[in-house]
Amino acid sequence: MTPIKVCLASTAVVVTALAGLTADPPPSDDSHRRAVAKADAADAQARPWAEKDPLRPAYHLQAPARWMNDPNGPIFFGGRYHVFYQHNPYGTEWGHMHWGHAVSRDLVHWEHWPVALAPSADRGEEHCFSGCCVDRDGTPTILYTSIGPKTPAGSGAVQWLATSDDGMRTWRKHPANPVMTLKLHGDLKVKDWRDPFAWKEGDDWFAVLGGHREGGKGCALIYKSKDLIDWTFLNVLMEGTERNWECPNFFRLGDKWVLLYSADDKPRLAKYYTGTLTKDYTFRPEHHGVLDHSPTFYAPTTALAPDGRRLLWGWASVKGDGWNGCLTLPRVLTLRPDGRLGIEPAKELERLRGSHAQLVGSISGDFTVGRPGVEAQEIRAKVQPARAKVIGLRYEATKDQVAVPLATVHLPGKQVHAGGISAPFELLPGETEVLLHAFIDHSILEVYVNGRTCLTVPLAVMSGERRDVTLAADDDVTYDWEMWTLKQ
Ligand code: FRU
């Protein structure tokens, strides 16, 4: 049998076997290229329609048109941030999963690049599910879950590699695919096995995948490899309490390990544990939390910025005419002294800021701040509650519309509310201020409270709409209010 040589950057990897031994035909770059071109043409055709929608977000990252869900494989490579995402170029509902691709030099202004991955129909692939992208000795390499009629999501998923040798413009499916199959687990029966997240430690690659053991609860499983091709199953990293876990991420932050996962249960929520890793590759959780308390937010994934910050994007399931879904703004995760995660919008977002207004003072009761063009706006309200128990931001009613509470902190109830969703919130010992930081973008509202509690909720603010904004308080407060219109 003649070995097939596959060159990955400087390293020549010899993949023994395959040709002639498996039932699958060898992958055809041509057919993948054609499938990508077809998807790009569909995007180009649908884009003007989606862009006409007055509810379409202006500064949130979105597919050119139609459906998108999870962010995939964010990576800083060659001087640019690359973010991929689950994309259906052929409809505004979930289906035909491709990997869309957007790039940015500054985390804020994004450009669409050609679709990266399309299902390889000639290899029986129906969907390219979520995964990650890593830099393998200079070669950008995607590890993702491949789904087809013979490799169904519930019981037969396989993991594939794809590489790019032209700076991530085009991608090739690797001849060694599948590089991971359920056989890795021996007798252990794993269901809904998907969404690889890989990283390098010394000379070794590691990956975590989500799913659940047959009859068990959602879990993350951990694997090791020298080359991203031959993998060994190490252990069940952690089993949780929810039905199934999707999109796990596992990384160091400060002196702890952080495990992120999306709990596919009721409600569907993205959560985390912080803790430590044992020598036998099990995770010892110390703190548990929710990344964003709204079920509109799901399937987040992370990348390391060149300066070491851990950046996170999630899928926001908001929709309009000709488009469905967008990504949340890039958020920065930090490990707080209490062992929990801090979550704040990335400082690069300040580049979006246009006209600015600031008001500082004391009030007792509601105070209408002004009437800006509201469809794309940032509000940063620092409020010292003094005697107030309830503090909030509100859009006032216009002629034919009702008032919209944007975010309300209820101090005695230890809660924050936005868009009908509640999250636990209380001032910590020594904290005297409530910081309500809100990003409004037509159909999406992101609320960050005191750098640790997040809510992403649907909203409906039409282009050109003007509304009064009110700082709502039930008693005395001192405030420092800033407001910007945001521009792409
Ligand atoms: C999460 C998810 C992933 C899967 C992808 C398919 O939203 O279900 O587990 O890979 O979406 O689009």
Side-chain angles (χ1 to χ4, degrees):
M1 179 181 54
T2 329
I4 303 166
K5 272 200 177 156
V6 184
C7 287
L8 287 168
S10 53
T11 333
V13 177
V14 180
V15 182
T16 43
L18 299 189
L21 284 187
T22 63
D24 290 335
S28 148
D29 284 343
D30 278 356
S31 77
H32 186 240
R33 220 172 290 135
R34 279 197 302 275
V36 164
K38 190 173 159 216
D40 284 335
D43 278 345
Q45 196 224 337
R47 194 170 176 167
W49 164 42
E51 284 179 351
K52 264 201 320 241
D53 180 21
L55 283 175
R56 186 162 165 89
Y59 60 88
H60 279 77
L61 177 51
Q62 285 192 272
R66 297 189 165 139
W67 171 271
M68 71 182 296
N69 52 295
D70 315 357
N72 291 150
I75 185 169
F76 185 81
F77 183 85
R80 294 185 177 96
Y81 291 96
H82 294 255
V83 172
F84 306 88
Y85 50 86
Q86 292 282 282
H87 177 39
N88 179 4
Y90 304 116
T92 51
E93 295 301 326
W94 187 92
H96 310 286
M97 282 296 110
H98 289 56
W99 277 41
H101 185 184
V103 302
S104 169
R105 292 218 179 255
D106 64 2
L107 262 190
V108 170
H109 299 95
W110 294 91
E111 184 193 329
H112 289 293
W113 275 18
V115 159
L117 300 181
S120 295
D122 59 331
R123 298 204 69 196
E125 191 179 47
E126 228 170 19
H127 301 289
C128 303
F129 270 21
S130 289
C132 61
C133 180
V134 294
D135 176 353
R136 183 190 187 279
D137 304 323
T139 301
T141 304
I142 287 173
L143 176 62
Y144 72 99
T145 303
S146 173
I147 298 297
K150 291 194 186 142
T151 52
S155 56
V158 287
Q159 317 305 326
W160 280 24
L161 285 184
T163 59
S164 171
D165 57 15
D166 61 359
M168 295 171 93
R169 292 270 171 188
T170 60
W171 296 81
R172 263 172 228 228
K173 309 273 173 89
H174 198 286
N177 287 329
V179 293
M180 299 172 97
T181 69
L182 286 161
K183 288 198 190 116
L184 284 175
H185 307 115
D187 291 340
L188 184 76
K189 293 248 174 316
V190 182
K191 301 283 178 186
D192 283 308
W193 186 53
R194 55 179 171 262
D195 309 334
F197 175 84
W199 73 97
K200 201 168 187 190
E201 297 264 333
D203 290 337
D204 296 316
W205 289 97
F206 289 85
V208 287
L209 277 91
H212 59 273
R213 288 194 272 196
E214 198 171 50
K217 296 290 185 186
C219 69
L221 306 110
I222 184 164
Y223 310 80
K224 188 174 176 178
S225 169
K226 283 279 175 217
D227 54 8
L228 296 171
I229 295 169
D230 280 322
W231 288 90
T232 313
F233 170 53
L234 294 173
N235 217 334
V236 174
L237 182 67
M238 183 180 172
E239 186 167 67
T241 55
E242 300 91 349
R243 195 194 68 80
N244 187 46
W245 281 12
E246 301 180 305
C247 304
N249 272 213
F250 193 54
F251 51 85
R252 291 174 203 271
L253 195 62
D255 58 351
K256 297 291 174 192
W257 281 90
V258 180
L259 176 61
L260 309 183
Y261 64 98
S262 288
D264 185 14
D265 206 330
K266 287 192 179 124
R268 265 159 65 103
L269 282 181
K271 305 183 189 175
Y272 70 85
Y273 286 96
T274 57
T276 56
L277 182 61
T278 65
K279 287 210 167 54
D280 67 348
Y281 298 101
T282 56
F283 180 64
R284 278 220 190 98
E286 290 168 0
H287 295 281
H288 190 208
V290 176
L291 282 167
D292 185 307
H293 293 263
S294 167
T296 297
F297 176 96
Y298 195 66
T301 190
T302 68
L304 267 185
D307 61 5
R309 284 174 302 161
R310 181 58 66 170
L311 300 172
L312 173 134
W313 289 262
W315 160 40
S317 49
V318 295
K319 61 180 176 180
D321 196 19
W323 62 275
N324 195 333
C326 74
L327 297 190
T328 53
L329 298 171
R331 300 176 179 182
V332 178
L333 298 182
T334 50
L335 187 70
R336 299 166 54 86
D338 63 5
R340 295 173 194 279
L341 291 185
I343 310 178
E344 286 186 285
K347 64 178 183 320
E348 284 87 339
L349 292 163
E350 292 174 10
R351 289 163 181 251
L352 293 172
R353 288 176 177 172
S355 64
H356 174 231
Q358 183 166 23
L359 289 162
V360 180
S362 299
I363 46 157
S364 188
D366 293 356
F367 172 63
T368 295
V369 177
R371 175 171 284 212
V374 290
E375 74 248 25
Q377 194 185 16
E378 177 184 354
I379 299 172
R380 207 164 184 279
K382 277 195 260 171
V383 184
Q384 283 167 352
R387 293 211 308 243
K389 296 184 179 62
V390 183
I391 297 160
L393 310 176
R394 188 172 70 220
Y395 273 170
E396 288 311 325
T398 55
K399 202 160 30 78
D400 32 52
Q401 282 172 308
V402 291
V404 180
L406 294 171
T408 313
V409 171
H410 196 281
L411 290 169
K414 298 187 179 172
Q415 293 222 306
V416 50
H417 309 280
I421 307 289
S422 304
F425 175 79
E426 60 183 313
L427 288 175
L428 299 175
E431 245 179 354
T432 55
E433 208 167 67
V434 173
L435 170 60
L436 282 173
H437 198 174
F439 289 83
I440 292 142
D441 194 2
H442 295 84
S443 41
I444 176 170
L445 164 68
E446 295 190 36
V447 178
Y448 301 80
V449 193
N450 286 33
R452 60 175 182 272
T453 304
C454 285
L455 284 155
T456 302
V457 294
L459 192 71
V461 187
M462 307 293 271
S463 292
E465 200 173 319
R466 300 185 82 76
R467 277 171 179 254
D468 286 339
V469 193
T470 291
L471 171 59
D474 66 341
D475 209 324
D476 296 347
V477 296
T478 306
Y479 62 87
D480 178 348
W481 170 288
E482 286 188 278
M483 193 156 64
W484 295 264
T485 52
L486 300 184
K487 287 204 177 67
Q488 250 293 357

